[in-house]
Each structure stands twice: as C-alpha cells, then as structure tokens.
Amino acid sequence: MPDSLLNDAFFAQMDSSIGDINDAESLPPGCYTDPEFFEFEKEAIFNREWLCVGRESWAKEPGAYFTTSHVGEPLIVARTHSGELKALSAVCQHRAMLVAEGHGKVRSFLCPYHHWAYGLDGQLIGAPAMDKACNFDIKSIRLPALKVETWQGFVFVNFDQAAAPLAPRLTALDAALAPYDLAHADGPEFAEVSQFPIVQKYAWNWKVQYENSNDGYHANRLHHGPIHDMCPSDLASFPEMPADTAGYVRYNGTLDRDVGFNATRHAVLPVFPGLTEEDRRRFVFVNVPPTLSIFARVDYVSYSIFRADGPEAMTHQRAWLVAPGAMRLPMFRELQGMTAAGSLLIGQQDRHVDAAVQQGLRSRFAPRGRYSWQEGAQSSFNQWLVARYRAAWVRGSAASEAGN
Ligand code: FES
Ligand SMILES: [Fe+2]
C-alpha cells in the first residue's frame, strides 16, 4: 500500500506556492490526483465553503425547484410558498431514494418510492402506513437543510451551518460586476442548461479546470487565432484584492472597443447598458472558488459552475447571461448561436488541455512549475487553497491528538 501523502512535510512544502507570483511554484501534483487528498479536500474546502448551484431565476415561483449535486450530495433548491429560497438534501429520510430529480413546480415533494411527502421547507408531512412504527414522530423528520445565500443572482449553498456570510467578502467583485447588473440580467431557464452538452462530466480534477478558467497566460497562445487574438495576454491585469476576499477579479484589455468572440470580432448582442468606456475595452474574469467562474464580455456573460465528483472527476455546467430584453430580439437565437460558435473551438482547445494536463499531473515527472506574471491569478488561488488546507490539517491533527 502506498504511503499516505498527508503529513506535516507535505503541507509545509506548500509554502513555495503562496508567495509572490514571480517567486511561487505550482502546488504538489498529488493535490490533483490523490484519492486520499480529495477526501481531505472535501473536509477542507467543500464541506465549509459556499458552493454555487445555479441562478435564483431557476426557482422563481413558489413551488419551483431544481436539483443538482456537489461532492456527490444530491441537492434540491426550492422556493417555498412564502417566497423563501431553501437548499435541501434530496435524500429521502426513509430509505434514501431521491425525493426529486430534474426540476419542476410542486406543492410538496412526494418521494416516488413509498410516498413519504415533504413540505418545500423539507419537513416530513406525510408517511403512509407508518401508524404501527414505534417511536415514529413525523415532526422530528425532515430533509437536511443547507445554508443558502444569493449573490448577483447566483444561488450558493453551504454544508457548514456556522459558515460566515459570503456576500460581505465579495465586495471587490461587486465593484467589477456592477456595470453588468447580473442580478437583473436575462438568461436561460434551468431546463435549457441542465443537460448534455451544456452539462458535461470530465475526467480531471476540478482545480485543473478552475485554473484553466483562471489563466490569462494561455489566452493568445493556446487560442492563437483571429478571434482570440483580440484579447492578448499582455493586457492582463490583476487588481489588489482585500485580504479576506472570497473571490477574485482579473481584467484583460482588448485591442478594440466592443470586441466579440465571433467572426465579426464585434459584439452582436446588445451591450450591457451600464458599461463605462473602460469596460467596453476589456473583459472581466471573476472567480468565486471553488465552484463559480464568470467571463464577462460587453454583450455576453458566460459562467461555469464546477462540481467536484472525485479526485479525477468533475461535472461542468456552462451557461450565460445577457442584457435585459436581449432575449426578446427576433434574431436572438441566431445571434447567440454566433457568439457561442465563436467560443466553440476555444472551449475544445481548453478541454484538450485539461485532459492532457491531468495525464501529465499523474506522471512521475510532473513538475512543481514556475509561473509567468501573466498567471497572477494562480498564486491568489494557491493562497486561497493553502490557507484552507492548512487550517483543516491543523484541525485534524488537533482532533487526532485529543483522541489519543
Ligand atoms: S425511500 Fe422515500 S418513501 Fe421510501
Ligand atoms: Fe482557454
């Protein structure tokens, strides 16, 4: 049996990943491949951080719900009759059937297996033929609830009931996104963005894809060509973030005003009305680790939700937002198709890289590589990760000492 990766020396060697970008090197490759590290990472990151599950508009009306999962936990996001948004485990508290799948609109959730019924707040309200069960109190049974919060129209959930609120730690991102007013932007319904190919499963670690989204260095190298060259890597910039930030912003200047990723090289959809002249000459990249990545262009904001499924498995959901009213344009679908088609090759290049990087990270020759200044966002991400890894390692060590 191979030795465990997890020891004090392993966490100590992360020091070299969290300094200034020009000194730093990448994290140990085992962080991207090792099954034991992934189990550790669940505790360090996914059980404690705010995880994006989608858009508030996907559960707009009372009774509307949609489902998703994070780290293998099936989840329901539902709007109660009083208009409150709830995040619940989808696992029936009878024999673990999923009480809801997909999306819909209901008065209550009826588990299909034996018809236990739950209110939209998760409370068990009906359980047929349980009258002979001893000490069975219907009022004491409910679908476990997660904390829920919305930010910029996105819904986040947290398994940790003691988690600090998210939004106060995203003020730097609010400033960057204010011109787009994403809470009021138009976008697709859940049904349109909940199936393949919008949702895809990939055989790589979630950080491989996060880092690809976080990387301006490769922009006009991997993606070299007439469309992407409008956004050269040497126009990347990385604004200073507050120390307690829960997310990151980077900008990339464009060679022209109102650039679009399509054959015309210009925006073809209505430009977001609040943009300044400066905004019209740059792209905004916003990342809220570990699950949300936003790429704002002048007429089209695409976003990715990352769901970690295993050490080398993840689910990726990619959707979009446009200026209010844009979806009512008679040619909206054609124009959106142009925009999406322009990004298709770029996406294929990125996915090829993700798969090959995962293969490289498994190699005995996998490096702890050095960074270019154009990868400034990677050292911010490393700092975010390592602080949480170390806190979890210290907590775990203290708990095992107390147990000895
Ligand atoms: S598993 Fe849900 S009612 Fe039996
Ligand atoms: Fe890319």
Side-chain angles (χ1 to χ4, degrees):
M1 191 170 151
D3 289 345
S4 171
L5 200 64
L6 305 185
N7 54 47
D8 289 342
F10 180 72
F11 290 96
Q13 60 169 304
M14 292 180 181
D15 260 347
S16 57
S17 295
I18 58 175
D20 181 87
I21 189 67
N22 298 316
D23 286 323
E25 60 182 357
S26 53
L27 287 169
C31 298
Y32 301 80
T33 59
D34 185 73
E36 192 190 6
F37 187 81
F38 181 71
E39 290 306 312
F40 166 80
E41 194 172 50
K42 276 195 214 169
E43 165 53 23
I45 307 274
F46 292 95
N47 289 351
R48 315 177 76 86
E49 297 298 327
W50 289 95
L51 311 174
C52 185
V53 287
R55 294 287 295 171
E56 214 181 340
S57 61
W58 295 350
K60 211 168 3 203
E61 310 292 333
Y65 73 89
F66 64 91
T67 59
T68 185
S69 70
H70 272 297
V71 283
E73 288 288 349
L75 302 172
I76 303 171
V77 178
R79 181 80 62 182
T80 66
H81 295 300
S82 62
E84 199 186 345
L85 210 54
K86 287 278 183 190
L88 304 166
S89 164
V91 178
C92 182
Q93 296 299 293
H94 176 223
R95 276 177 39 213
M97 172 64 184
L98 303 187
V99 302
E101 297 174 82
H103 67 108
K105 197 170 171 193
V106 290
R107 291 195 59 77
S108 56
F109 294 111
L110 186 68
C111 179
Y113 202 176
H114 313 96
H115 285 195
W116 282 25
Y118 298 87
L120 291 161
D121 62 355
Q123 176 64 53
L124 184 63
I125 52 176
M130 291 297 292
D131 47 310
K132 293 186 181 167
C134 302
N135 299 321
F136 179 78
D137 176 13
I138 206 170
K139 292 191 292 301
S140 69
I141 299 173
R142 54 186 311 126
L143 299 173
L146 284 73
K147 287 192 89 162
V148 62
E149 191 174 320
T150 58
W151 173 77
Q152 299 276 351
F154 293 98
V155 182
F156 289 81
V157 301
N158 201 314
F159 289 105
D160 179 4
Q161 296 298 330
L166 177 67
R169 293 177 289 134
L170 294 178
T171 50
L173 284 61
D174 284 322
L177 290 175
Y180 297 87
D181 191 16
L182 293 187
H184 299 105
D186 287 348
E189 298 293 328
F190 177 79
E192 191 182 327
V193 293
S194 56
Q195 310 278 340
F196 181 86
I198 299 292
V199 178
Q200 295 207 34
K201 290 190 178 298
Y202 295 132
W204 48 79
N205 183 271
W206 68 277
K207 297 188 292 301
V208 168
Q209 182 139 18
Y210 185 96
E211 288 171 4
N212 174 260
S213 294
N214 205 30
D215 175 8
Y217 188 28
H218 76 281
N220 63 342
R221 297 183 172 95
L222 175 68
H223 302 310
H224 172 59
I227 292 179
H228 209 300
D229 286 353
M230 299 297 287
C231 169
S233 301
D234 58 3
L235 294 184
S237 63
F238 307 95
E240 189 90 4
M241 294 285 117
D244 71 338
T245 192
Y248 300 89
V249 180
R250 69 185 162 90
Y251 294 107
N252 213 108
T254 55
L255 293 182
D256 201 353
R257 188 174 187 268
D258 292 346
V259 161
F261 275 5
N262 63 71
T264 73
R265 303 209 287 185
H266 282 94
V268 292
L269 289 164
V271 169
F272 282 89
L275 300 194
T276 63
E277 199 49 40
E278 192 180 19
D279 294 322
R280 295 179 77 155
R281 293 180 179 275
R282 67 184 179 190
F283 295 150
V284 185
F285 298 84
V286 162
N287 285 311
V288 185
T291 56
L292 178 64
S293 183
I294 302 170
F295 171 22
R297 292 163 254 175
V298 298
D299 62 336
Y300 197 71
V301 173
S302 54
Y303 62 91
S304 296
I305 299 174
F306 305 130
R307 286 147 54 185
D309 299 326
E312 299 184 274
M314 63 164 288
T315 303
H316 180 217
Q317 182 172 26
R318 187 180 176 88
W320 45 268
L321 297 164
V322 291
M327 290 176 74
R328 291 198 296 275
L329 288 175
M331 297 281 278
F332 174 73
R333 287 294 165 184
E334 287 76 10
L335 296 169
Q336 194 237 340
M338 274 175 75
T339 305
S343 303
L344 196 64
L345 175 64
I346 293 164
Q348 286 167 351
Q349 290 166 333
D350 282 326
R351 301 299 77 83
H352 173 75
V353 161
D354 291 334
V357 164
Q358 187 69 37
Q359 192 182 354
L361 287 166
R362 268 187 246 123
S363 162
R364 73 191 68 185
F365 303 117
R368 294 195 64 191
R370 296 295 306 274
Y371 294 115
S372 156
W373 69 266
Q374 293 173 359
E375 294 169 286
Q378 307 299 8
S379 69
S380 305
F381 183 45
N382 288 348
Q383 286 158 22
W384 186 92
L385 286 169
V386 172
R388 284 154 181 80
Y389 291 158
R390 286 185 165 166
W393 180 244
V394 168
R395 271 195 309 275
S397 304
S400 58
E401 265 168 39
N404 284 337

